[in-house]
Amino acid sequence: MGGQGIRRGAVRYFAALAAVVLCVLALCGEANAVGATARKTAPSAPLVEGVRVHQIGASQILVELRGTDMPLPASSNAGGAAIALYWRGARFPQNTDRKDWWDDFGWDVLRIEKGKSERWTRRYEDIPLVDEIRVSPSEGGVIMEIIGPRRLAVKSISGMAGSSRHRLILEAPPDVPSAPAPKPKPLPPGDPLSVSEPVALELRDVPLRDAFRMLAKLRGLNLILDPSVPNPPTTISFDGAPFREVFAYLLRMHGLSYGVSGKTLVVGSPSAVAKTLGTVTTRRYSVSYADIKKLPALITSLVSLEVKAIADERMRCLYITASPEGHSCVEALLNRLDSPGKQIMIEARLVEINDGARQEFESTLAAVYNGWIFSYGSAGLGGRYTYGNGAVTPNVDPTGSTRPGELPIIGGTDTDTSFPGYVADSAMKMVDAALRAMESDNKGKVLASPSVVALDGQKASVRLTHNYLYQSGVDENGNPEFTNQETGPMLEFTPALGRDGFITINMKISTGEIVAFRRSGDSEAPETTKREVDTSVRVRDGELFVIGGLYQENKTNNVTRVPVIGYIPLLGELFKTRTTQHSKSQMAFIAVPYILDIPSGAVEVIDMPGGGLRM
């Protein structure tokens, strides 16, 4: 019995010991789980992992950024960088941060080799506005310096703080400096608007002319009031106001002007004051671009003139009689109205692709769009530069006489205005190379390759047609009558330039051909095909766009006979072969618009001798 009690006690002891051990293990496991959960939920520093840069037009770049929990960057132009972007609290990526998109095309991952460099750098030789990008740690964050030939400013940011993708559009200011504001001319001594002495004046229902007489007496001036000065009752109350303010208020309230000659003050309408002081002159303004017939009425409606503007349509000039102030207004107005504006050049290809080559053609367009494609999504506008894929080398110094990256204007000199070579370079060249390959394999053909230049808002048309004359009937005397049938590609464009380099193009594209003539008595009628599209597109300067989907199906029945035997009735059917050919083709229109600036100077002004015309 004693041995059994000992055994029972030992069993109880070991059972209790096992329970204690299990509890300790459970508590340790919970502690480890809590620690792991704490480690998982601990906040990590934001990551700036990848960058991709694309050129948009001539003065903008698109910077795409990818990362984890990225804050919105702060920007500055300090130092020698074109612009610097700073992310506070962010860090560089490490190998443990690797994402699947790191191997995607076009993305530069900001990885640095420890022990070798603390800064990530990349040079961009194919983007005009960006020479180099440097990324380095700075003051508890990451700073990205974009080095380039021109200063850049943030135009827009797409994306939210804490998101994984941001898109920034950076814009360079225009190269042409703004004209400095003209310095105001100093007023001569005794001019009413140069007097700052305070006056106290209390008038109630006093005629306006009496008010001017009172002010002239305060300054000891002689006064001439022109009949153009009205005389309504005037109520004013000034206490300690400068004399020039009181005088200016009365002039502006009634649209009057003034002039001072010695001790005499002349008040009246601008033209009347100029006539009284003898400052009215006649000038001839040369007109270069505006409609000379519409200018006189337009100028007269905007500028107060005593004599109506006279237009000389033969010499394309205007004769204006006005005061110096009036001539200043007319000259400023004509510099706006008589402007050449801008031109839009459209380089286009009208092609017909066989149905069997459709996939090859679409692959070519995809390759071009991989070079420069614009898309709209939840993150905003995305774009890619034509050299972004590195497949095409820019045409640098093509003639040996131009600056690198620029193409000369035909007929100009090295000092003339030129436009960047990247504008008219790779996109259409890639398309032309693919189209030549398709033509050599009989997979398609180019119907037209026009390059059209049109003024902003003016229509331009291209007609590459063939005229067919066919007999449509006979007249009363039995003589044949002929009618003209025009077939071939016809293109009409009306470009309109908007803000931020957007171009709206209203276009009408059509093509067709005569497939057969059907006779009916003494006349015949052509059977034609026609494919036409009438649409409007809105694209950026230098952005390629495609209009397609105009299909045409042709079915041809062919009969092949064995000579002689094939023409024998009944028996000849055994020696005939009938085949049916079915073909399908697609017409596509590919175009790239470019904005061409036209340099212009100030309007030419000539003073006419003998003062002004008789009034």
Side-chain angles (χ1 to χ4, degrees), residues 26-49:
L27 291 174
C28 292
E30 291 179 1
N32 291 334
V34 171
T37 304
R39 286 193 297 272
K40 289 182 181 178
T41 58
S44 59
L47 290 176
V48 181
E49 302 177 50

Side-chain angles (χ1 to χ4, degrees), residues 12 21 49 132 163 174 176 187 190 208 222 241 280 301 488 494 537 556:
R12 292 191 190 97
V21 171
E49 302 177 50
E132 186 180 26
S163 62
V176 180
L187 297 174
L208 178 62
N222 301 319
V280 174
S301 63
T494 305
V537 297
T556 305

Side-chain angles (χ1 to χ4, degrees), residues 11 26 35 97 107 195 225 233 407 414 436 490 499 548 550 573 576:
V11 170
D97 302 314
W107 285 100
V195 180
L225 292 176
L407 296 178
D414 288 342
R436 285 194 295 269
M490 290 177 283
R499 293 186 295 271
L550 299 175
E573 295 295 327
K576 293 180 181 179

Side-chain angles (χ1 to χ4, degrees), residues 19 21 44 84 139 166 174 191 205 238 316 335 354 358 433 472-473 611:
V21 171
S44 59
E139 300 178 0
H166 289 161
D191 191 292
D205 293 333
F238 290 101
R316 291 190 57 79
N335 282 328
N354 297 339
R358 183 180 63 179
S472 57

